[in-house]
């Protein structure tokens, strides 16, 4: 049962990442692209977690935690740059 | 018996997470302007990733005891997603992105800008000093 669920959720997350990539390519404005990349890293966290369930390994959550922290910091840094023209004032 | 019920819960969590993330990305692709598009990823995708992480935590605690390490990422994602959405909305307002006519609300930042205090022109020609 879990195998089938893994296949279905892998397909759904891959389709979601494809849609995010489409938005990041055609996005008319700069915040659109930032939002698309932000969503893309969120979905990649879930992909890595699903891969960890697939191979039955417990060490993949550290990679997911690293991606979550670095993605959040980079989103905030880019938004700060767009708002103020400078990151650390 | 208990294990089969737990497996059903894990499978439901995984499929629900994938469905929520897909719906969020569909909203990101198909909605009209940026302020509508911000809803999909910031709410729906967060819930989808949270569901998947809870399912993974249940799966690894199926064999040997409860494991709560994945819940750490869940809490982190649930805390940081509103913050990044707030910063993105602020930067979009700063860039004055055009809202769709169907978007409700009329924020001050998007009103047509008329200079409230026109700079008073300095008197010219008559300088007090010769």
């Amino acid at each position: 049962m879990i195998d089938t669920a893994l296949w279905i959720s892998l397909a759904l997350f891959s389709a979601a990442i494809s849609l995010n990539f489409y938005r990041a390519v055609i996005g008319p404005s700069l915040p659109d692209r930032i939002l698309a990349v932000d969503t893309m890293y969120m979905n990649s966290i879930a992909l890595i977690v699903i891969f960890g369930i697939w191979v039955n390994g417990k060490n993949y959550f550290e990679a997911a935690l690293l991606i979550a922290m670095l993605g959040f910091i980079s989103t905030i840094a880019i938004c700060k740059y767009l708002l103020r023209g400078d990151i650390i004032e | 018996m208990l294990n089969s019920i737990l497996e059903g819960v894990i499978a439901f969590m995984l499929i629900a997470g994938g469905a929520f993330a897909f719906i969020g990305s569909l909203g990101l692709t198909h909605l009209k302007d940026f302020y509508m598009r911000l809803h999909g990823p910031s709410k729906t995708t967060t819930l989808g990733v949270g569901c998947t992480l809870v399912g993974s935590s249940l799966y690894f605690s199926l064999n040997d005891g409860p494991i709560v390490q994945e819940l750490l990422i869940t809490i982190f994602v649930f805390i940081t997603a509103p913050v990044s959405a707030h910063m993105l909305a602020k930067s979009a307002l700063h860039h004055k992105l055009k809202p769709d006519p169907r978007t409700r609300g009329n924020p001050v930042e998007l009103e047509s800008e008329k200079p409230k205090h026109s700079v008073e022109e300095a008197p010219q020609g008559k300088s007090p000093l010769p």
Side-chain angles (χ1 to χ4, degrees):
Chain A
M1 186 156 56
I2 289 183
D3 281 341
T4 317
L6 276 180
W7 275 108
I8 294 173
S9 67
L10 262 184
L12 285 171
F13 274 112
S14 307
I17 287 184
S18 311
L19 289 176
N20 294 337
F21 184 72
Y22 173 71
R23 175 53 73 189
V25 168
I26 69 158
S29 64
L30 211 47
D32 274 311
R33 295 174 206 264
I34 303 171
L35 179 63
V37 174
D38 185 84
T39 318
M40 214 188 251
Y41 89 75
M42 292 267 266
N43 286 331
S44 68
I45 292 170
L47 266 189
I48 285 181
V49 166
I50 289 173
F51 184 71
I53 296 179
W54 190 309
V55 300
N56 207 356
K58 287 179 187 170
N59 295 327
Y60 289 91
F61 94 98
E62 295 167 359
L65 193 58
L66 265 181
I67 289 180
M69 297 173 76
L70 287 179
F72 171 65
I73 295 296
S74 61
T75 305
I76 293 297
I78 298 172
C79 285
K80 201 71 183 166
Y81 179 70
L82 284 188
L83 277 172
R84 311 286 294 181
D86 206 352
I87 296 176
I88 300 174
E89 299 170 29
Chain B
M1 180 60 193
L2 190 65
N3 269 10
S4 65
I5 293 177
L6 209 53
E7 280 186 6
V9 171
I10 292 165
F12 174 75
M13 280 289 184
L14 289 178
I15 294 178
F20 275 125
F22 180 71
I23 291 170
S25 299
L26 208 64
L28 176 69
T29 309
H30 282 278
L31 288 179
K32 292 300 177 194
D33 69 344
F34 179 78
Y35 307 101
M36 290 188 203
R37 269 179 228 137
L38 195 55
H39 285 275
S42 63
K43 293 171 192 162
T44 323
T45 302
T46 308
L47 184 58
V49 174
C51 276
T52 308
L53 287 163
V54 169
S56 164
S57 174
L58 283 178
Y59 176 77
F60 284 119
S61 56
L62 199 66
N63 296 324
D64 35 29
I67 290 179
V68 291
Q69 289 159 343
E70 267 88 0
L71 294 182
L72 202 66
I73 313 176
T74 313
I75 295 171
F76 186 79
V77 165
F78 273 38
I79 290 175
T80 58
V83 179
S84 56
H86 176 72
M87 292 298 284
L88 278 166
K90 271 176 79 175
S91 66
L93 285 177
H94 181 73
H95 279 227
K96 296 187 188 308
L97 297 185
K98 285 257 181 280
D100 197 66
R102 282 177 294 171
T103 304
R104 291 185 188 173
N106 196 11
V108 189
E109 288 88 348
L110 290 182
E111 286 172 357
S112 60
E113 52 213 69
K114 292 171 186 171
K116 287 175 183 172
H117 330 277
S118 62
V119 180
E120 296 180 4
E121 293 182 358
Q124 292 177 355
K126 294 177 181 178
S127 70
L129 294 177

